[in-house]
Amino acid sequence: MPAMEEPHWLLLLAALAFTAWYWPRPRLRRPLRFASMVLCVLVLTRPYLRDRGDAIDLWLLLDHSASAHELVQPREDEIVSLLERSKSRNDRVLIVEFADEVRLRGRSDGEPLSDLGERTRLASAITFALSSEDSGRNRRLLIVTDGYSTEPLGALEERIGREGVPLDLRLVSADERADFAVESIELPTRGRPHEPFAIDVRLRGTIDGEAPYTFLRNGEKQVEASASIVDGEARLHFSDRLAGREGAVEYEIRLDSNDAYPGNNRATAFIEIETGPRLVLVTAYAADPLGTSLREQGFEVDEVTEASRLRLGRLAGARAVVVNNVPAAEVSDEFLEALDAFVRVQGGGLLMVGGRHSFGSGGYFGSPVDELLPVSMELREEHRTLSVAMAIVMDRSGSMSAGVDGGRTKMDLANEGAARSIELLGPHDSVAVFAVDSAPHEIVPLTPLRNGAGAIVDKVRRINSTGGGIYVYEGLSAAWKTLERSAQGQRHVILFSDAADSEEPGNYAVLLEEMVRGGVTVSVIGLGTEADADASLLRDIARRGQGRIFFNADPSTLPALFAQETVAVARSAFLEETVGLRATAGIYEVASEPISGLRAVDAYNLSYLREDAAAAAVTTDEYEAPLVALWSRGSGRVAAVSFPLGGELSGTVRRWPGYGDFVQTLGRWLMGDDVPPGMGVETKLDGTTLSIDLWFDESWEERLARESPEVLLVRSTRRDIEPLVWERLEPGHFRATRDLESGDNIRGAVRASGAVIPFGPIAAPGGAEWDFDARRLAELRALSRSSGGADRTELTSMWDDRLDGGRLDLRPALLWVLLGMVLLEALASRIGWRRAEMGAWRARRTMPKPSADPGSAREEKHLEPRPGGEPSLPEPAVAVAPDATEQRRRRFARAKRGR
């Protein structure tokens, strides 16, 4: 229906009518001229055509993030009730709840969002409401929030303005309570070796006082002190310098106060020390000859002898990693997980070197690096020489009933791990299973697996947690009594226990000494961390039992840990005997000449070449096992050298004249090619939003036109590789963005025309939800004002402002009509004068010419009889207009006489 935005201009119509009636000079009585003036008045009224009417869809956006839930949830019912009571019959309220995710509840019914999120995805909630089906109705947005979004809002201003949707605010805030927070930790993103740099930390507080803090580097405490909060803020200044071998170093500031919002008491940041191409050597040897040889060949070697201290940042700037005879249990799960993405995504190289604690013997079967290696570590049944008797002691205390992701319990996952161990044993092996709380319960007596493991596995998967604690001594004693009667060549115990709830160890030291003398070894899988109350007990049990110790706080990894331990005991082999070496053509993958001069090795790890992998050397015994194997995985390269390159069993290899050349060849191949010049990657973190910018010059234009660049992300908590979509901002500049999860460590790489540019790790703010940044609140208020919205304290007034959204502006059409009428009026005025002149000319052409005989001017008309015999009447005379020249002459004469 038509309407006017400024109808007061219609008063001009009365003035036009008055002027046309009493003032003839403007000639407004002419129809076209008067109509043109009326159109001018209509244009001034700003007319439009409504196609949606007055009904409003009010999108109510409710903030259910962790920081706002306690403020919004108590007010929610009242807000919805007020809006429902005050709306018109055709109006609607649609409810959107947001935190980590965005959900549409629909109308005022439905269940509220129950799980709290550690992010406030306000931008996503606004986009969701704007993108929902329009259905031809007006829309408003009302946001009930504390105002602190974890997403930037600037990109929404253009869209909200274009769609004409007002954004109103109902801001809620908590009572002012004592709270200290880490506002920021600032340091350079990159530095050079031995170059000092500054670290600035900003703290804030709602009250003044002392805020105790701890400052850490790579998890190690550097400073422990208190900061004085004055006028609501404090600044701390630190300085440091690094040698460059550390890669990327993580700094953390942690407030130790028990205040209102503990979520904002911590912040982390990374600095990467830029060096030349670096190779990380993780070794079991204090003076590794492999590291010495690599340095002699010109490599920058970062040698690590304490594998447990390895952190994710060590991979930053590294081009390859070498693991030399280090067991998997000594390397952190975080670092092992990171190796997969380091190779596949970031184009790094990985080399595993043989030894007693390497490959399957080192527990790498089923680990995150298992699938990366070009060899399979599981020993085939026909190659086994010893059978195994294994006893599995399971903790079924009350803590095992706790739920985990996927609707299962810790006990379910432990059962799955024990079942996996049993399935990996062979038909010549035996197994016994005990479930322990305050006493051992024999689930499976020592049973040979000659008839298969199916029935035993079914029993194990039905073990339930019955409460109480685990009596460690009782469980170990029951396992020893069972294995003592076994005559099999290997006897081993796997003890699974809660690292925070292992009770009644008894005189375990004496018991373990007796077990070791009897040929039984003991390994421990501890559910928890090394910092838990009973971790030291479990570690001592594994040490005295001459086995391995595993700690893991993630129950989902239990099956893999059980599998690693079983393979290390029963299905792996390190053969300590001299074996011949035969070079093969696989070496041509990395070198132009085959391996020569090395005819034998002192020992090796028995493994099997995977499909698609290449072997550069194999044994000459009956196994023909790969001694040097290699392949490419994703963007990176992986090699396996199954014989020792260091230690007591490497004498023959180290005396080999080609040792240095061999090491250099492998190292160069693993480190890959340098990135060609003309391309760079820049990363930036805004809240939890990561931006990745790719810059390139003209030399890359043609190559990237043929093959678009890729950007891949990997989270530290997952192994999934996530591709992002580029946005072309300008020639030579691409950008990709991703919203991160709070506390994530992100790594990734840009791959373009064969080149790989790695980046990361990047630490997403751990307390972004609790970082009450005033800039975010100001950004939200500015967005509301630009959209025509306002802060709403009186919610019933929401419906008073009827919207004109969806209207069709009629002014352009009226202006075109006005232009046409003006032209027509001008044309009519012009053509109308000439038409009168033309009419006079035509009249002269049709007048009879005067006769020469005056008498002939009157000719008598004779009556002609009609067909009926009656005379016809003469035609009536036609008045002939006088000559136009004569008319002008007469008017001129009258004018002279004053008539």
Side-chain angles (χ1 to χ4, degrees):
M1 58 185 301
M4 299 177 184
E5 191 169 332
E6 301 182 26
H8 54 272
W9 289 105
L10 292 177
L11 295 174
L12 289 178
L13 293 178
L16 282 176
F18 180 82
T19 302
W21 185 260
Y22 290 102
W23 190 18
R25 191 173 187 84
R27 299 181 182 180
L28 293 179
R29 294 183 183 181
R30 294 184 179 182
L32 286 176
R33 185 165 298 185
F34 188 79
S36 298
M37 297 304 296
V38 171
L39 281 177
C40 287
V41 173
L42 291 178
V43 169
L44 291 174
T45 64
R46 301 171 68 90
Y48 60 90
L49 188 65
R50 284 180 177 167
D51 59 359
R52 294 183 180 175
D54 291 332
I56 298 177
D57 279 351
L58 178 62
W59 289 82
L60 178 61
L61 277 56
L62 300 174
D63 187 349
H64 279 277
S65 61
S67 65
H69 179 76
E70 292 183 1
L71 305 175
V72 174
Q73 199 271 337
R75 298 172 169 88
E76 183 177 322
D77 291 341
E78 179 186 0
I79 291 173
V80 174
S81 177
L82 281 173
L83 293 173
E84 289 286 353
R85 289 201 308 267
S86 58
K87 71 182 182 66
S88 300
R89 184 182 62 180
N90 294 326
D91 296 332
R92 297 189 302 180
V93 178
L94 299 107
I95 301 175
V96 173
E97 302 164 318
F98 63 94
D100 278 339
E101 58 183 273
V102 179
R103 298 183 193 174
L104 173 66
R105 197 197 301 179
R107 303 293 294 271
S108 58
D109 53 357
E111 293 298 324
L113 193 68
S114 57
D115 32 326
L116 307 181
E118 290 300 321
R119 288 181 295 176
T120 304
R121 301 193 63 184
L122 180 54
S124 300
I126 294 173
T127 302
F128 176 85
L130 294 176
S131 303
S132 299
E133 186 177 353
D134 191 356
S135 70
R137 296 168 63 89
N138 296 307
R139 289 179 294 170
R140 292 193 82 100
L141 270 61
L142 174 62
I143 304 176
V144 183
T145 178
D146 60 1
Y148 299 102
S149 173
T150 58
E151 296 178 317
L153 304 175
L156 290 172
E157 184 173 355
E158 180 182 353
R159 178 171 181 179
I160 289 180
R162 184 174 64 249
E163 299 194 16
V165 180
L167 190 154
D168 297 305
L169 303 177
R170 178 63 180 270
L171 297 176
V172 294
S173 60
D175 298 333
E176 197 72 13
R177 291 182 286 173
D179 179 56
F180 296 120
V182 180
E183 184 172 329
S184 65
I185 176 170
E186 298 177 356
L187 69 160
T189 57
R190 288 182 174 85
R192 300 196 60 80
H194 306 290
E195 183 178 72
F197 56 91
I199 306 166
D200 293 325
V201 177
R202 293 186 179 185
L203 308 179
R204 55 179 169 82
T206 57
I207 62 172
D208 288 353
E210 294 296 313
Y213 70 87
T214 304
F215 182 67
L216 304 98
R217 180 179 66 192
N218 277 345
E220 296 182 357
K221 186 186 303 182
Q222 304 294 312
V223 179
E224 189 172 20
S226 291
S228 298
I229 306 292
V230 179
D231 295 331
E233 68 174 3
R235 292 194 175 186
L236 305 176
H237 303 282
F238 306 95
S239 63
D240 203 357
R241 67 176 70 200
L242 301 168
R245 295 186 300 273
E246 300 89 346
V249 176
E250 180 183 25
Y251 289 92
E252 178 183 355
I253 184 74
R254 184 189 302 160
L255 293 180
D256 302 321
S257 58
N258 185 17
D259 54 5
Y261 302 110
N264 57 18
N265 289 357
R266 174 181 175 271
T268 62
F270 280 93
I271 181 172
E272 180 182 345
I273 303 302
E274 296 179 320
T275 59
R278 198 171 97 258
L279 185 149
V280 178
L281 173 60
V282 186
T283 177
Y285 309 111
D288 194 340
L290 177 58
T292 302
S293 180
L294 286 168
R295 292 187 188 91
E296 291 173 353
Q297 303 300 325
F299 291 90
E300 176 71 26
V301 180
D302 176 12
E303 193 165 329
V304 180
T305 55
E306 295 183 60
S308 60
R309 299 169 64 89
L310 280 170
R311 297 177 65 88
L312 181 67
R314 202 82 178 208
L315 296 174
R319 297 278 291 275
V321 175
V322 178
V323 181
N324 190 6
N325 199 28
V326 176
E330 292 186 11
V331 185
S332 70
D333 294 330
E334 179 190 51
F335 191 82
L336 288 178
E337 288 280 354
L339 286 176
D340 184 83
F342 173 72
V343 173
R344 295 177 189 265
V345 176
Q346 297 185 305
L350 173 64
L351 169 63
M352 182 168 285
V353 181
R356 285 195 183 94
H357 305 295
S358 191
F359 294 98
S361 301
Y364 286 96
F365 175 80
S367 72
V369 301
D370 185 0
E371 295 182 358
L372 286 176
L373 296 176
V375 294
S376 172
M377 295 177 283
E378 182 181 354
L379 187 65
R380 293 173 183 171
E381 187 64 35
E382 62 269 22
H383 293 163
R384 294 181 59 194
T385 57
L386 293 177
S387 61
V388 175
M390 181 178 289
I392 303 175
V393 179
M394 305 278 291
D395 177 356
R396 72 169 189 183
S397 61
S399 61
M400 292 297 108
S401 62
V404 295
D405 292 341
R408 297 192 292 178
T409 66
K410 293 179 180 180
M411 193 76 248
D412 293 332
L413 292 170
N415 294 344
E416 187 63 35
R420 182 76 177 113
S421 290
I422 296 169
E423 290 171 340
L424 285 170
L425 295 174
H428 302 293
D429 300 324
S430 302
V431 68
V433 180
F434 296 90
V436 182
D437 39 45
S438 56
H441 305 274
E442 188 177 64
I443 305 300
V444 178
L446 189 63
T447 305
L449 296 175
R450 64 175 68 95
N451 296 322
I456 297 174
V457 166
D458 288 342
K459 287 184 180 181
V460 170
R461 286 187 170 135
R462 291 197 296 268
I463 298 175
N464 293 319
S465 172
T466 57
I470 176 174
Y471 284 29
V472 175
Y473 182 89
E474 299 296 331
L476 291 175
S477 178
W480 167 232
K481 288 176 183 178
T482 296
L483 295 181
E484 190 178 18
R485 301 190 299 268
S486 172
Q488 288 169 293
Q490 286 181 284
R491 291 178 291 174
H492 188 68
V493 176
I494 298 178
L495 170 65
F496 167 69
S497 182
D498 192 332
D501 189 27
S502 297
E503 303 179 76
E504 300 296 331
N507 198 356
Y508 71 93
V510 174
L511 175 63
L512 288 169
E513 183 179 355
E514 182 182 354
M515 294 172 70
V516 170
R517 281 201 309 268
V520 175
T521 54
V522 179
S523 291
V524 180
I525 298 176
L527 182 59
T529 68
E530 296 186 50
D532 287 337
D534 297 320
S536 58
L537 167 64
L538 299 182
R539 189 184 298 107
D540 194 47
I541 290 173
R543 182 182 65 82
R544 293 177 182 273
Q546 297 185 3
R548 285 161 288 274
I549 176 70
F550 303 88
F551 288 106
N552 201 304
D554 183 4
S556 65
T557 63
L558 287 176
L561 291 180
F562 274 93
Q564 286 181 37
E565 177 60 18
T566 304
V567 169
V569 172
R571 301 190 69 84
S572 65
F574 178 65
L575 305 181
E576 300 183 33
E577 56 187 38
T578 302
V579 64
L581 178 147
R582 177 171 59 84
T584 66
I587 193 63
Y588 293 118
E589 295 279 341
V590 298
S592 58
E593 297 180 0
I595 297 175
S596 61
L598 181 64
R599 300 186 179 278
V601 295
D602 298 329
Y604 75 99
N605 296 82
L606 179 58
S607 59
Y608 309 95
L609 190 70
R610 293 189 191 269
E611 187 178 358
D612 298 329
V618 297
T619 63
T620 58
D621 58 11
E622 69 272 21
Y623 302 126
E624 293 188 349
L627 289 176
V628 179
L630 36 89
W631 65 356
S632 296
R633 303 302 286 165
S635 299
R637 300 167 176 177
V638 185
V641 176
S642 299
F643 52 87
L645 293 177
E648 59 182 353
L649 296 173
S650 63
T652 301
V653 174
R654 282 187 289 156
R655 289 191 297 270
W656 173 34
Y659 183 89
D661 291 339
F662 174 71
V663 167
Q664 181 186 40
T665 299
L666 278 180
R668 297 293 179 203
W669 180 77
L670 289 170
M671 297 184 78
D673 301 324
D674 293 331
V675 177
M679 177 177 288
V681 172
E682 181 182 15
T683 59
K684 180 182 178 182
L685 194 61
D686 185 1
T688 58
T689 300
L690 173 66
S691 299
I692 303 157
D693 290 272
L694 173 65
W695 305 85
F696 53 91
D697 60 20
E698 302 82 14
S699 64
W700 285 87
E701 287 283 356
E702 184 178 348
R703 283 179 283 181
L704 297 185
R706 292 194 303 266
E707 182 181 357
S708 298
E710 294 180 291
V711 57
L712 304 174
L713 284 189
V714 179
R715 288 187 174 92
S716 61
T717 55
R718 303 177 186 174
R719 296 176 65 188
D720 297 334
I721 300 172
E722 178 184 1
L724 301 185
V725 178
W726 287 115
E727 176 187 4
R728 187 183 180 96
L729 300 182
E730 58 184 340
H733 186 193
F734 287 175
R735 174 175 293 169
T737 59
R738 179 69 168 86
D739 193 37
L740 307 181
E741 294 182 5
S742 182
D744 264 349
N745 282 332
I746 298 297
R747 294 167 296 126
V750 173
R751 301 196 298 203
S753 190
V756 180
I757 306 177
F759 57 83
I762 300 167
E769 170 63 16
W770 305 96
D771 183 16
F772 301 123
D773 190 344
R775 294 174 299 176
R776 288 285 185 245
L777 182 57
E779 189 178 38
L780 178 60
R781 289 186 185 275
L783 183 64
S784 174
R785 287 194 301 269
S786 68
S787 71
D791 285 1
R792 294 285 179 175
T793 56
E794 181 57 47
L795 294 181
T796 56
S797 65
M798 289 290 305
W799 309 106
D800 296 339
D801 299 334
R802 294 288 147 178
L803 306 175
D804 294 328
R807 65 189 183 185
L808 176 65
D809 192 351
L810 297 178
R811 286 179 297 168
L814 292 179
L815 287 173
W816 280 108
V817 174
L818 175 60
L819 178 62
M821 294 186 69
V822 170
L823 293 175
L824 183 61
E825 199 270 341
L827 183 63
S829 298
R830 186 78 176 169
I831 297 300
W833 173 75
R834 292 187 175 181
R835 184 176 295 166
E837 191 177 62
M838 184 66 70
W841 178 78
R842 285 180 178 174
R844 291 197 304 271
R845 292 287 303 269
T846 56
M847 287 179 61
K849 295 183 180 180
S851 176
D853 184 2
S856 64
R858 291 180 176 271
E859 296 182 0
E860 292 193 11
K861 304 291 183 180
H862 298 281
L863 300 176
E864 297 292 338
R866 291 185 177 178
E870 296 181 2
S872 60
L873 296 176
E875 297 291 333
V878 178
V880 179
D883 183 81
T885 304
E886 183 64 24
Q887 287 179 348
R888 287 196 298 274
R889 190 179 292 117
R890 290 175 182 175
R891 287 198 300 271
F892 180 71
R894 285 197 298 272
K896 287 184 66 177
R897 292 195 297 271
R899 295 178 182 176

